[in-house]
C-alpha cells in the first residue's frame, strides 16, 4: 500500500481513531485499519511502567536563545502501533515550532510513518498523532530512546521561574475533543504510559567519560565520541561526553578518551568511573538524558 497524502479539511484532532479519520481524506482500507488500530479495544486502566514518555534537550534556554526539546518514547515492554501525545508547558515559555522526530520519519521500515500529523497551539502546547504502519508490518520495536518529535521553545516570561515541558491530556482552545497522551499497541490496545516532565536547563547526575551510557568508561566510549563527531549521533548528556572536563564538548574529548582507554592518559575527572554525581565544574554543559546511574 502506498502512503497517502493528508488532505486536511479541518484542524487535526487526536482524540481517537474515528476523530482522526473525520478530519482527513484517506483510502478506504487505510480508514478501516487505522480505526481498528486506535479504537478496537478500550484503554488499559492505570499507568504502565513498561511505556515511558519523557524528554531530553541539549540546549540551555536564555532570553536570547530558544531551546530544542526532543519528545522520547521508551517501550521496552513491547512494540507500539502508534501513539498520541499532547505536550503542554509552563506560562513563562511558548512553543515556536514542532516537527516529526527521527523514528517518525524512518521507523516504518526505513520510511516515514503511514500516518503522522502535528498541530501547534500557541501559548498552549502541541499535539502529535502517529500510526506507524497501516498493515502492522512495521510496529515501533521495543527499545529506549525513540525520538518521536522535535519541539522548540522560547522564553516569554520570568527567566527565574522553572520552564517546564510536560505531557498532558487536555482540550486545546478552539477544539471540542480531548487531546490525549496515549500509547497504542499493534493490536489496538490503548495504554496509559508513565510520563516524565522536564525542566529546561535542568541537569542530571552522570559518570564522566561514559559517552555511550552503558555504565562503563572504556574504549567503546572513545568510539562513540567519534561516531558523534563524524556521524552526527545524538547526544543526551554533554557533561558525560566532556571527558577532559574543560567545559567544552569537542574532538579533544574523543582523543582524551582513546588515550585514557589505552593507559596513555589519566582517567576522566570527577564524577568519574565508580561514581555518579552532579558536575562539580561550573560550565554551560548540561546532562538532560542519562540512564546509567544506579
Amino acid at each position: 500500500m502506498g502512503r497517502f497524502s493528508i488532505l486536511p479539511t479541518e484542524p487535526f484532532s487526536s482524540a481517537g481513531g474515528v476523530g482522526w479519520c473525520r478530519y482527513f481524506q484517506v483510502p478506504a482500507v487505510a480508514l478501516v485499519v487505522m480505526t481498528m488500530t486506535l479504537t478496537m479495544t478500550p484503554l488499559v486502566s492505570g499507568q504502565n511502567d513498561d511505556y515511558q514518555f519523557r524528554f531530553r534537550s541539549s540546549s540551555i534556554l536564555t532570553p536570547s536563545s530558544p531551546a530544542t526539546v526532543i519528545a522520547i518514547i521508551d517501550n521496552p515492554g513491547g512494540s507500539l502501533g502508534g501513539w498520541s501525545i499532547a505536550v503542554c508547558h509552563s506560562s513563562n515559555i511558548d512553543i515556536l515550532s514542532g516537527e516529526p522526530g527521527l523514528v517518525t520519519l524512518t521507523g516504518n521500515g526505513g520510511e516515514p510513518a503511514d500516518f503522522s500529523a502535528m498541530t501547534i497551539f500557541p501559548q498552549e502546547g502541541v499535539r502529535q498523532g502517529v500510526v506507524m504502519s497501516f498493515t502492522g508490518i512495521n510496529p515501533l520495536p521495543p527499545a529506549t530512546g525513540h525520538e518521536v518529535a522535535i519541539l522548540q521553545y522560547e522564553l516569554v516570561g520570568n527567566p527565574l521561574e522553572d520552564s517546564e515541558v510536560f505531557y498532558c491530556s487536555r482540550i486545546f482552545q478552539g477544539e471540542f475533543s480531548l487531546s490525549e497522551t496515549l500509547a497504542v499497541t499493534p493490536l489496538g490496545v490503548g495504554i496509559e504510559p508513565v510520563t516524565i516532565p522536564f525542566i529546561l536547563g535542568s541537569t542530571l547526575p552522570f559518570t564522566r567519560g561514559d559517552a555511550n551510557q552503558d555504565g562503563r568508561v572504556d574504549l567503546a566510549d572513545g568510539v562513540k565520541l567519534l561516531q558523534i563527531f563524524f556521524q552526527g549521533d545524538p547526544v543526551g548528556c554533554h557533561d558525560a561526553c566532556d571527558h577532559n572536563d574543560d567545559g567544552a564538548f569537542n574532538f579533544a574529548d574523543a582523543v582524551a578518551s582513546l588515550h585514557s582507554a589505552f593507559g596513555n592518559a589519566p582517567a576522566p575527572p570527577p564524577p568519574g568511573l565508580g561514581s555518579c554525581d552532579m558536575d562539580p565544574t561550573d560550565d554551560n554543559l548540561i546532562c538532560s538524558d542519562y540512564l546509567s546511574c544506579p
Side-chain angles (χ1 to χ4, degrees):
M1 179 188 302
R3 285 169 182 78
F4 66 89
S5 298
I6 299 177
L7 301 175
T9 58
E10 297 182 49
F12 169 69
S13 172
S14 65
V18 176
W20 287 14
C21 299
R22 184 174 66 245
Y23 292 106
F24 296 89
Q25 298 172 1
V26 298
V29 174
L31 177 66
V32 172
V33 173
M34 185 161 62
T35 301
M36 290 178 63
T37 299
L38 294 173
T39 64
M40 66 183 296
T41 56
L43 173 70
V44 174
S45 61
Q47 291 184 331
N48 190 317
D49 290 339
D50 287 334
Y51 301 88
Q52 293 193 358
F53 288 15
R54 57 187 177 90
F55 303 97
R56 73 165 176 239
S57 173
S58 59
S59 306
I60 297 177
L61 183 68
T62 70
S64 60
S65 176
T68 299
V69 175
I70 302 174
I72 301 290
I73 287 181
D74 296 334
N75 60 320
S79 300
L80 288 179
W83 61 87
S84 169
I85 60 174
V87 180
C88 300
H89 55 264
S90 56
S91 61
N92 67 329
I93 59 175
D94 197 11
I95 185 163
L96 283 174
S97 64
E99 60 186 59
L102 180 63
V103 75
T104 309
L105 297 174
T106 63
N108 187 12
E111 298 292 330
D114 278 344
F115 177 86
S116 174
M118 182 177 290
T119 303
I120 301 294
F121 297 89
Q123 301 178 355
E124 290 191 273
V126 59
R127 173 181 61 211
Q128 181 194 47
V130 173
V131 176
M132 288 305 301
S133 170
F134 289 152
T135 62
I137 295 176
N138 295 309
L140 189 68
T144 59
H146 292 301
E147 298 183 1
V148 299
I150 302 173
L151 313 174
Q152 192 173 56
Y153 293 87
E154 65 175 342
L155 188 66
V156 296
N158 188 349
L160 300 180
E161 296 178 357
D162 285 343
S163 302
E164 185 177 27
V165 178
F166 53 96
Y167 293 99
C168 57
S169 292
R170 65 175 296 177
I171 299 177
F172 288 107
Q173 186 173 358
E175 302 261 305
F176 298 98
S177 55
L178 181 70
S179 294
E180 296 183 276
T181 294
L182 181 69
V184 181
T185 73
L187 296 178
V189 178
I191 296 174
E192 183 184 357
V194 172
T195 59
I196 302 174
F198 181 71
I199 304 295
L200 289 176
S202 63
T203 187
L204 299 173
F206 66 98
T207 299
R208 191 178 306 282
D210 184 18
N212 64 359
Q213 298 195 29
D214 65 355
R216 300 163 55 92
V217 178
D218 52 26
L219 178 60
D221 297 299
V223 174
K224 178 64 175 180
L225 289 170
L226 292 175
Q227 289 292 310
I228 291 172
F229 283 109
F230 292 113
Q231 302 296 329
D233 284 9
V235 183
C237 184
H238 285 74
D239 273 318
C241 293
D242 183 16
H243 186 100
N244 60 11
D245 193 23
D246 64 355
F249 172 43
N250 50 41
F251 187 69
D253 294 301
V255 174
S257 179
L258 293 173
H259 279 298
S260 179
F262 287 106
N264 298 322
L273 184 61
S275 62
C276 194
D277 208 342
M278 306 301 291
D279 190 359
T281 304
D282 185 15
D283 56 41
N284 290 324
L285 299 180
I286 64 172
C287 183
S288 62
D289 182 33
Y290 190 81
L291 304 177
S292 297
C293 281

